[in-house]
Amino acid sequence: MLCVALHQYYSTRNNPSSQEEISSKMPGVLENALNAGKTAGKKAKMRAELVLLDRKIPARKKAFGIELYDKLNAMTCNQDFYSTNDQTISTLRPHLLATDREIRALSNKKLEAKGSLDIAVARRAEAFPAKASNWKEKAANAATATGMMGNETKIKTRMALVQSQMNIIKEKFGMQVYDVLEELFGVLGTEQIPEHSATDKDVNAVKAVFRQCKGDIEEILRTKKEKLEQIDALNVDMSLRRL
């Protein structure tokens, strides 16, 4: 818009009457062009914020999966978990068991790595029973210690990788069960129930974790709705300015 206005101005500058007419319109044209630029900047910023908000929802569901699994994984060792007819536990059971099988396989790898790390640390501690008495011994000890510590670092890296793989499995669990629980609790509600058994306690734990996650997601959706409404308002404002 600004380029068009300038083009019109320079193409008519040799015509006094036309130049006077264009000059009288220039301030309004320039103002509209500047406002359009500001509006486009605001809209671009809000669209970027919308992208971030869209990413927050699955990220929150993944965090929900980690938290929920960590609260419930011990439940799979309880006989009541398999015998109860509670609707919440029955709904979660197949998802939790499938996740638990994958997690336990990785847990064994992590325990093996932890055992190797403990042995490596103990060997390094025993490698230098006497303090070095000269620079040659100090240099030799330093080289040996560096090699041992490098091996320990490799083991720690392997453990961190296994933990990352475990978290990915838990996050997948969260993505799967959130929608399932949302449908279930849409009927049952998320109110706490009287705790007369271990199962009741587990059900309340599930409801509490879900309720917090749902509240966070609803807040994200409210913020997203507000951003969309602001963009619509900017579009309307720009349309009115063109009239």
Side-chain angles (χ1 to χ4, degrees), residues 195-207:
E195 295 182 2
H196 302 300
S197 65
T199 298
D200 293 338
K201 185 176 180 180
D202 291 332
V203 169
N204 281 338
V206 173
K207 288 183 174 183

Side-chain angles (χ1 to χ4, degrees), residues 198-234:
T199 298
D200 293 338
K201 185 176 180 180
D202 291 332
V203 169
N204 281 338
V206 173
K207 288 183 174 183
V209 176
F210 175 82
R211 191 166 54 245
Q212 180 62 55
C213 181
K214 185 174 176 61
D216 292 343
I217 290 176
E218 287 176 345
E219 181 59 32
I220 293 170
L221 291 174
R222 276 194 294 271
T223 304
K224 182 179 177 181
K225 183 181 178 183
E226 290 173 2
K227 297 291 181 186
L228 290 171
E229 290 174 348
Q230 290 171 12
I231 291 174
D232 288 340
L234 288 172

